[in-house]
Amino acid sequence: MQTITKYLVLFVLGLNVQLINAQDTIPKANNSEEIAKFEAKKEVIKKEERELLKIKVEAINKRLDNGEITAEEAEILKKEAAKKHALNIQERIVILENKISLLSRNPNRSSDDEDEFIFRIGGSDDGYDKIFYIGKKQNDTVRYKRKYDRRTTSDFVLAFGLNNAIIEGQSLDDSPYKFGGSRFLELGWAWKTRVFKNSNFLRFKYGYSFQFNGLKPNDNQYFVNQDGQTILQEFPEDLRKSKLALTNLVFPMHFEFGPSKRIDKEDYFRYSTNNQFKIGFGGYAGFNIGTRQKLKYTENGQRIKDKQKGGLNTSGLVYGLSGFVAVGDVALYVKYDLSPIFKDQLVDQNNISVGVRFDMD
């Protein structure tokens, strides 16, 4: 029994010594890997700076070709750029050498030097090719380099306001729809392209939008289809809500006018319309993708919600005119459907909307 106990103690002691030795070697191994990583990063730094220098030289050459600078000015700018990136390489490598030296003197110390992980949402004036980027900062600098001149940008569109209908042979003051209760909402995405090469005064704006137009009848009325004619009738119960909701997918196109500010950077330039006056006019065309009538009322003491889809002979093809007047990103917005709300009617009704529009560009 004593022999077994002796061998068991020796085994446990040997195992502990191996674990201690392994723990001592782990930081050293990790340290060696980090040192090797920093050594390899020297070449990455050289490649990055050379790529950035190449981009700047290309931008200088474009400015020279466009007649913005002389050949002498271009040569000076190239020499300054080369000097700058040579110093960048030298100083960044010195930083790595210092870190390698620190790790070599302190085997149990790990480095906290990790490439910064970023999430970026670009815009029309930041110069990046990619609107969205998630990744390492150093990759963001080179892989998604700035274009010297970007003529097309994109932005999110949001609009909302009051909605109603213009009825043939009837003034808007006599509309059977509530002015405050009938509203619209528009959500979409738009691209904007500069028409002329050396001027940003005229832009062509195009994209797609989802339009949600609502009409709320007055006087306890609702829509019914009588032999293909969509008319308003009084509901037999007291309505708490009566609303017609029309959902359209449209493709707007506008010409946008207005001044802009040119921003010149070292390796690119941009036109900015921030806080500038803008006016746009154009139109849209698309399809009705949903029609729903919502009724809320009380019957025999019970609250009832009735949703009726389709069946009201609404126009499948939607088209119209629209325009806006803006300062910066906020605009007064008007749109008018040339297509009638209901097709094959004795009296046409055309949707009209007035509100505010936000173009996040």
Side-chain angles (χ1 to χ4, degrees):
M1 182 67 179
Q2 291 178 349
T3 301
I4 295 173
T5 303
K6 180 175 69 175
Y7 282 117
L8 182 60
V9 170
L10 290 173
F11 173 76
V12 171
L13 287 173
L15 182 61
N16 286 338
V17 169
Q18 290 179 356
L19 289 174
I20 291 170
N21 290 335
Q23 290 173 353
D24 289 339
T25 59
I26 289 172
K28 292 181 181 179
N30 289 341
N31 228 338
S32 299
E33 290 178 1
E34 287 188 275
I35 291 173
K37 181 184 73 173
F38 287 140
E39 290 287 355
K41 197 170 182 179
K42 292 179 183 179
E43 294 302 319
V44 175
I45 288 173
K46 294 177 183 178
K47 183 178 179 181
E48 287 177 359
E49 294 296 335
R50 288 167 184 162
E51 180 67 22
L52 291 172
L53 175 59
K54 180 182 175 183
I55 294 169
K56 290 182 180 177
V57 170
E58 289 174 353
I60 293 169
N61 288 334
K62 286 185 178 179
R63 294 179 65 187
L64 177 61
D65 294 339
N66 293 337
E68 299 174 14
I69 56 176
T70 64
E72 292 77 10
E73 290 173 331
E75 191 63 28
I76 292 172
L77 290 174
K78 290 177 184 179
K79 288 180 179 179
E80 289 176 351
K83 182 179 178 180
K84 172 184 174 180
H85 288 284
L87 287 173
N88 287 350
I89 292 173
Q90 179 181 339
E91 292 176 0
R92 290 178 69 184
I93 288 179
V94 167
I95 292 171
L96 285 183
E97 293 285 3
N98 289 335
K99 291 179 178 179
I100 291 171
S101 178
L102 179 64
L103 291 175
S104 299
R105 289 194 306 271
N106 301 274
N108 295 328
R109 184 167 184 167
S110 62
S111 170
D112 58 356
D113 179 37
E114 295 293 337
D115 290 325
E116 184 181 355
F117 195 82
I118 62 170
F119 171 69
R120 176 178 56 74
I121 301 178
S124 61
D125 301 322
D126 70 347
Y128 283 94
D129 287 344
K130 301 294 183 181
I131 294 177
F132 302 101
Y133 175 73
I134 301 176
K136 293 181 179 180
K137 186 175 181 179
Q138 65 174 29
N139 293 338
D140 181 54
T141 303
V142 177
R143 187 177 303 169
Y144 301 113
K145 62 184 180 182
R146 291 181 177 94
K147 294 179 66 174
Y148 175 70
D149 177 16
R150 187 202 293 182
R151 295 181 65 169
T152 299
T153 60
S154 61
D155 56 85
F156 176 69
V157 176
L158 167 66
F160 56 86
L162 301 178
N163 198 64
N164 217 284
I166 294 179
I167 302 175
E168 185 180 0
Q170 185 174 316
S171 69
L172 191 59
D173 291 337
D174 298 325
S175 172
Y177 309 116
K178 298 177 181 178
F179 281 97
S182 301
R183 294 181 287 270
F184 84 96
L185 171 68
E186 181 173 336
L187 300 170
W189 195 265
W191 286 266
K192 184 166 61 177
T193 298
R194 190 172 83 241
V195 175
F196 301 112
K197 181 179 180 180
N198 297 317
S199 171
N200 194 45
F201 185 75
L202 174 62
R203 286 88 65 177
F204 181 52
K205 200 158 192 173
Y206 50 96
Y208 63 89
S209 289
F210 291 95
Q211 295 178 348
F212 306 92
N213 300 325
L215 293 172
K216 288 186 176 181
N218 288 314
D219 303 325
N220 206 57
Q221 297 184 100
Y222 75 116
F223 291 95
V224 294
N225 187 340
Q226 284 190 350
D227 300 325
Q229 296 294 305
T230 301
I231 62 173
L232 287 171
Q233 279 190 356
E234 185 174 356
F235 197 70
E237 307 290 341
D238 289 332
L239 284 170
R240 290 185 291 110
K241 182 177 182 179
S242 175
K243 179 182 177 181
L244 178 66
L246 303 167
T247 302
N248 302 327
L249 170 62
V250 298
F251 302 92
M253 292 177 288
H254 295 94
F255 282 104
E256 182 182 279
F257 300 85
S260 59
K261 180 180 178 182
R262 175 165 170 153
I263 301 173
D264 286 285
K265 297 294 184 179
E266 187 177 11
D267 55 351
Y268 72 97
F269 80 90
R270 294 291 180 266
Y271 287 104
S272 174
T273 57
N274 289 338
N275 300 319
Q276 300 290 327
F277 176 79
K278 293 179 283 189
I279 184 170
F281 67 87
Y284 52 89
F287 310 94
N288 173 259
I289 59 174
T291 301
R292 179 177 297 182
Q293 182 169 217
K294 301 178 182 179
L295 303 175
K296 292 183 180 180
Y297 55 95
T298 302
E299 186 177 55
N300 298 326
Q302 292 185 340
R303 289 193 170 189
I304 298 175
K305 296 181 181 179
D306 188 8
K307 295 181 180 181
Q308 305 168 0
K309 295 183 180 180
L312 293 177
N313 205 30
T314 52
S315 297
L317 182 63
V318 179
Y319 52 92
L321 301 174
S322 57
F324 56 86
V325 177
V327 176
D329 296 336
V330 184
L332 175 65
Y333 180 51
V334 178
K335 62 184 182 69
Y336 174 70
D337 285 2
L338 295 175
S339 56
I341 300 174
F342 309 103
K343 60 184 178 181
D344 301 327
Q345 302 294 294
L346 297 176
V347 177
D348 283 339
Q349 300 186 43
N350 299 80
N351 195 86
I352 186 170
S353 308
V354 179
V356 292
R357 172 182 170 127
F358 300 88
D359 289 63
M360 313 304 182
D361 62 350

